[in-house]
Amino acid sequence: MKIVKRFLAIVSLLLIVFAAGCSTSKSSTTKNSSSATATAKARSLDAIKKSGTIKIGVFSDKKPFGYVDDKGKYQGYDVYFANRLAKDLGVKVKYVSVDPASRVEYLTSAKVDIILANFTVTDERAKQVDFALPYMKVALGVVSPSNQLISDVDALEGKTLIVGKGTTAETYFEKHYPKVNLLKFDQYSEAYQALLDGRGDALSTDNTEVLAWALENKGYEVGITSLGDTDTIAPAVQKGNTELLDWINDEIKSLGDENFFHEDYDKTLAPVYGDAAKADDLVVESGEVD
């Protein structure tokens, strides 16, 4: 009997030790997980200057706003602006390629200092990042094959519409047109390839972008040129990075004095749009929307 009691006591002790170990392990795992998801601290303006480099997130496949050319260099409307920011800050720029759905995460994890990736300002995004003054205005557009042109949004019901994940197009159609089947992609290059392959009936993103794409791809037209509200596009920084935000806002106001964004348009967008668009319909100077 004594042996049995002693055996039971040992088993009980082992169970207590095991349970304590599991609890510690679980607590440690939870703590590590929490730390991993916490927002990484953004670099201050002074830290950026001292490092000699600013990290800016841009698209690499959204011509003519942010893309990589045949020589491997970043080009486009957003990139032209980013180059000027770096120059006036007195640092070099390191470009980081982002996709639509990763823009917020690249700021919260401090992988970049600024996002300049055709970032439309929305109330939901403004809860997660801080937007500077706008430098462009935009609405949604829909591009489709010319021989099966979609010119009315109601005609999309029951059809497949291609959109980018994490874009305003995705949000808009999910909210207002739930009967439209959405085919979603991370990269714009993948989305446009899907349209070319016939995997969708149409594609929706910013009207400025679909117009540029249709001009360079024969057999496709923008049947819906403006959908939803007119929104603005602006640089974004990590939430609470007020020092960098204020500097960008002052820069945008200052650049307005020299009509910088019209110059940007002439250099990067006019060669693509030609007479199909006007600078004043897209460009915002000094952060002031007409």
Side-chain angles (χ1 to χ4, degrees):
M1 182 63 71
K2 289 182 179 180
I3 294 175
V4 173
K5 288 182 177 180
R6 185 176 298 173
F7 174 76
L8 291 175
I10 292 172
V11 170
S12 297
L13 181 60
L14 288 173
L15 288 173
I16 291 172
V17 171
F18 178 77
C22 287
S23 176
T24 301
S25 174
K26 184 177 180 181
S27 174
S28 176
T29 301
T30 302
K31 184 177 180 181
N32 290 338
S33 175
S34 177
S35 298
T37 56
T39 298
K41 185 173 176 58
R43 295 195 300 168
S44 66
L45 192 61
D46 189 50
I48 292 170
K49 289 180 179 179
K50 284 182 178 178
S51 74
T53 303
I54 187 165
K55 296 178 289 184
I56 301 181
V58 295
F59 287 133
S60 61
D61 63 347
K62 193 173 184 182
K63 190 176 182 180
F65 299 97
Y67 66 100
V68 177
D69 66 16
D70 341 5
K71 297 179 181 178
K73 292 185 177 181
Y74 281 92
Q75 303 285 359
Y77 185 79
D78 291 341
V79 175
Y80 193 90
F81 177 29
N83 286 336
R84 180 60 184 268
L85 288 178
K87 178 184 176 182
D88 289 351
L89 196 55
V91 298
K92 294 181 179 179
V93 60
K94 178 182 179 181
Y95 286 114
V96 179
S97 178
V98 298
D99 57 54
S102 71
R103 289 174 292 190
V104 169
E105 188 271 329
Y106 269 60
L107 284 177
T108 57
S109 60
K111 292 177 182 175
V112 298
D113 302 302
I114 304 172
I115 286 289
L116 264 179
N118 225 226
F119 210 9
T120 305
V121 179
T122 68
D123 292 339
E124 187 59 34
R125 288 171 178 168
K127 295 175 185 176
Q128 305 173 75
V129 302
D130 281 339
F131 284 104
L133 293 171
Y135 61 96
M136 197 170 188
K137 50 192 175 184
V138 69
L140 290 176
V142 177
V143 61
S144 53
S146 302
N147 58 1
Q148 293 181 309
L149 190 65
I150 302 291
S151 55
D152 186 338
V153 67
D154 291 330
L156 284 168
E157 186 173 322
K159 289 185 168 60
T160 298
L161 177 68
I162 301 167
V163 296
K165 292 179 183 177
T167 63
T168 49
E170 177 188 30
T171 304
Y172 179 82
F173 279 96
E174 284 183 341
K175 180 178 180 180
H176 299 287
Y177 295 93
K179 292 184 180 180
V180 175
N181 303 315
L182 299 183
L183 179 59
K184 306 175 185 181
F185 291 92
D186 290 316
Q187 298 286 339
Y188 280 105
S189 54
E190 296 173 335
Y192 280 113
Q193 189 58 52
L195 181 62
L196 291 169
D197 293 343
R199 284 177 277 163
D201 299 288
L203 181 149
S204 180
T205 186
D206 295 346
N207 56 0
T208 51
E209 209 277 329
V210 289
L211 175 59
W213 187 85
L215 288 170
E216 294 192 342
N217 290 267
K218 292 183 179 180
Y220 292 85
E221 292 180 41
V222 179
I224 302 175
T225 57
S226 184
L227 189 62
D229 298 328
T230 298
D231 295 313
T232 56
I233 288 174
V237 301
Q238 190 182 105
K239 199 78 177 170
N241 195 354
T242 308
E243 188 183 32
L244 180 56
L245 183 70
D246 290 344
W247 183 86
I248 296 172
N249 283 336
D250 289 341
E251 178 78 352
I252 290 174
K253 291 174 184 176
S254 176
L255 290 175
D257 294 336
E258 57 185 79
N259 251 20
F260 171 81
F261 292 104
H262 278 77
E263 173 192 309
D264 189 349
Y265 179 95
D266 290 340
K267 295 284 187 181
T268 63
L269 302 185
V272 176
Y273 290 138
D275 296 330
K278 295 180 180 178
D280 289 341
D281 292 335
L282 306 176
V283 170
V284 174
E285 295 284 5
S286 300
E288 299 176 0
V289 182
D290 296 332

